[in-house]
Amino acid sequence: MEITRGNTETMLSRRTVLAGSAAAAVAATVGATSPAEASSSGLDRAALQAALDRIGATGATAALARVDSPSGSWRGASGVAELGRPAKPPVGGQFRVGSITKTFVATVILQLAAEKRLRLDDTLQRWLPGAIPNGARITIRQLLQHTSGVFDYTEVLFATLDDVLRARYRTFRPEELVALAAARPPVFEPGTSWSYSNTNYVLLGLIIQKITKHAYARAVGNRILRPLRLHGTEVPGTDATIDGPHAHGYEPIEQDGEIVPLDFTDLNPSMAYAAGEIVSTTADLNRFYRALLGGRLLRPAQLTEMLGNPAGEIGYGLGIFQQPLPGGPTLWGHTGGIFGYLTYSFSTADAKTQLTVSINPWIGDFGPALTDLALLAFGVTASTARTLAPVVPFPMPGVRFPAS
């Protein structure tokens, strides 16, 4: 985020480089400094840590990562927990996961479908009458898959720099967020195209509340967090702080002609609600995706629905998307971006191997280092990757700072 009134064009171009490095993290071809080939007897922990250190050195104030696989587990930390202090970030620390929240919400919706408390082809109008003007033509499935055409409220809420500052500590009701989108025309007719919209998942959170008679956070807690013992994961509501040990998140601002960091760790997560408010850890996210893809959270029919018929340019299922690796498996998971934090969490389809990376981005290009880390985690050697087409980039949808 660039909170400045001066030289905005220059700052935004620098921030665009940062955003691009995140979005293209796995799209870059393997760089000159390539990872050591994975040992057949287990994970190459030294190479994984070296790749993580390069993320910190080339474009982040802090980075955390964890790999869980049949070859063992590894976790690492790099950078500093807080600028101006020497302490490293806590290796098991918490962070804001942003849009990875959507996979949790989609899981609850599909559980309710299995219980016949809703149908994926139910209309939005049935559950939330009048919430969106054309709600009678929008289905729950379309909300889950971003084929609803509903306008993304964040484009209004964070339209200007002043808007972001006003919103940072404000408490929003989800109905307020929906109203911002309802006041704008649809992006397209429902079911005719694909466009990522955070409003879809705000609406799904409200549908969960309507059906269960409780806030969606309780459903996530009862149905996912407690059964899986995800003790480091929280649905914070209006709590602006991260309660556990954590690295600080920063955004670049201009002061007196220089770029300086603004600590953006604290914010009121009601601005994201069911589209992106969750706080978690690398261990918890790996465990979540392992349980989800391993069939512990959804019945076979619902898991098939979640992964089947992916849509759009990123291959989006229902709250989850696919990510191919060159010379390796096609992964499933999600990315998340919210002010000060970027998160990548993916698993093999057979639920055997997971990688989660949390990055507190700064100006730079950590893309090649993140590429190396992902290839190492999923057992793809640099030499193999070089002979194949580049990976489709990990998309980074989420709450973004305004471009002007």
Side-chain angles (χ1 to χ4, degrees):
M1 301 179 212
E2 297 76 29
I3 303 177
T4 177
R5 290 299 183 189
N7 199 18
T8 303
E9 183 176 350
T10 299
M11 287 191 59
L12 290 173
S13 66
R14 295 184 68 181
R15 184 56 167 175
T16 300
V17 171
L18 171 62
S21 72
V26 188
T29 56
V30 177
T33 304
S34 55
E37 299 203 357
S39 167
S40 60
S41 61
L43 296 171
D44 190 333
R45 290 166 171 79
L48 287 165
Q49 183 63 52
L52 188 64
D53 288 340
R54 290 197 300 277
I55 291 175
T58 58
T61 59
L64 306 175
R66 182 180 175 108
V67 179
D68 290 295
S69 76
S71 299
S73 295
W74 166 84
R75 64 178 187 168
S78 188
V80 294
E82 184 176 3
L83 292 178
R85 298 173 181 267
K88 291 184 64 174
V91 69
Q94 291 183 308
F95 47 86
R96 300 190 188 280
V97 310
S99 288
I100 292 173
T101 301
K102 292 178 174 67
T103 313
F104 288 80
V105 172
T107 299
V108 173
I109 288 286
L110 288 165
Q111 288 175 341
L112 293 172
E115 297 162 11
K116 302 188 183 307
R117 299 176 71 177
L118 61 79
R119 294 183 306 115
L120 297 185
D121 293 326
D122 285 347
T123 66
L124 174 61
Q125 184 71 10
R126 172 178 179 180
W127 294 107
L128 300 176
I132 297 292
N134 63 340
R137 301 199 302 276
I138 296 171
T139 66
I140 290 177
R141 186 190 305 276
Q142 290 166 350
L143 295 175
L144 286 165
Q145 199 164 28
H146 298 296
T147 57
S148 69
V150 174
F151 184 84
D152 187 346
Y153 77 90
T154 64
E155 294 185 26
V156 177
L157 187 60
F158 307 123
T160 70
L161 305 176
D162 286 341
D163 289 337
V164 174
L165 293 177
R166 282 192 293 267
R168 181 175 181 181
Y169 294 112
R170 178 181 163 188
T171 294
F172 292 92
R173 292 181 299 105
E175 293 84 359
E176 292 180 81
L177 306 179
V178 171
L180 292 174
R184 299 299 182 98
V187 180
F188 50 79
E189 282 298 304
T192 64
S193 188
W194 186 90
S195 182
Y196 192 92
S197 174
N198 289 289
T199 313
N200 290 324
Y201 278 76
V202 174
L203 291 163
L204 290 167
L206 288 170
I207 289 172
I208 293 171
Q209 178 175 301
K210 183 73 170 288
I211 292 172
T212 66
K213 311 301 182 186
H214 298 290
Y216 94 92
R218 180 181 293 191
V220 169
N222 290 341
R223 293 168 173 267
I224 301 174
L225 306 188
R226 290 187 183 87
L228 297 183
R229 298 182 179 180
L230 304 184
H231 301 308
T233 303
E234 304 171 4
V235 187
T238 60
D239 184 355
T241 63
I242 299 176
D243 293 336
H246 60 274
H248 287 235
Y250 299 90
E251 295 292 343
I253 66 167
E254 186 176 295
Q255 284 186 357
D256 301 325
E258 294 185 1
I259 305 299
V260 298
L262 172 67
D263 192 324
F264 225 88
T265 308
D266 293 348
L267 56 84
N268 189 322
S270 66
M271 66 170 66
Y273 184 60
E277 70 172 299
I278 284 179
V279 169
S280 191
T281 67
T282 57
D284 277 8
L285 289 182
N286 280 2
R287 188 179 303 129
F288 167 61
Y289 279 108
R290 184 163 59 250
L292 175 62
L293 293 167
R296 290 183 58 191
L297 294 173
L298 294 177
R299 300 174 187 176
Q302 279 66 48
L303 187 56
T304 298
E305 288 272 16
M306 175 176 265
L307 305 181
N309 302 311
E313 59 268 22
I314 67 172
Y316 205 94
L318 305 185
I320 194 170
F321 63 84
Q322 58 184 5
Q323 174 68 39
L325 282 181
T330 294
L331 310 176
W332 285 93
H334 215 290
T335 57
I338 192 167
F339 305 130
Y341 295 84
L342 298 176
T343 306
Y344 305 78
S345 192
F346 285 86
S347 174
T348 52
D350 62 9
K352 290 183 178 179
T353 302
Q354 295 78 40
L355 166 68
T356 295
V357 185
S358 170
I359 297 173
N360 300 102
W362 188 241
I363 296 168
D365 183 6
F366 57 74
L370 184 54
T371 300
D372 289 353
L373 183 61
L375 294 174
L376 280 164
F378 293 103
V380 183
T381 64
S383 58
T384 298
R386 282 195 187 96
T387 66
L388 301 171
V391 171
V392 175
F394 277 167
M396 183 44 71
V399 179
R400 294 174 179 270
F401 202 67
S404 61

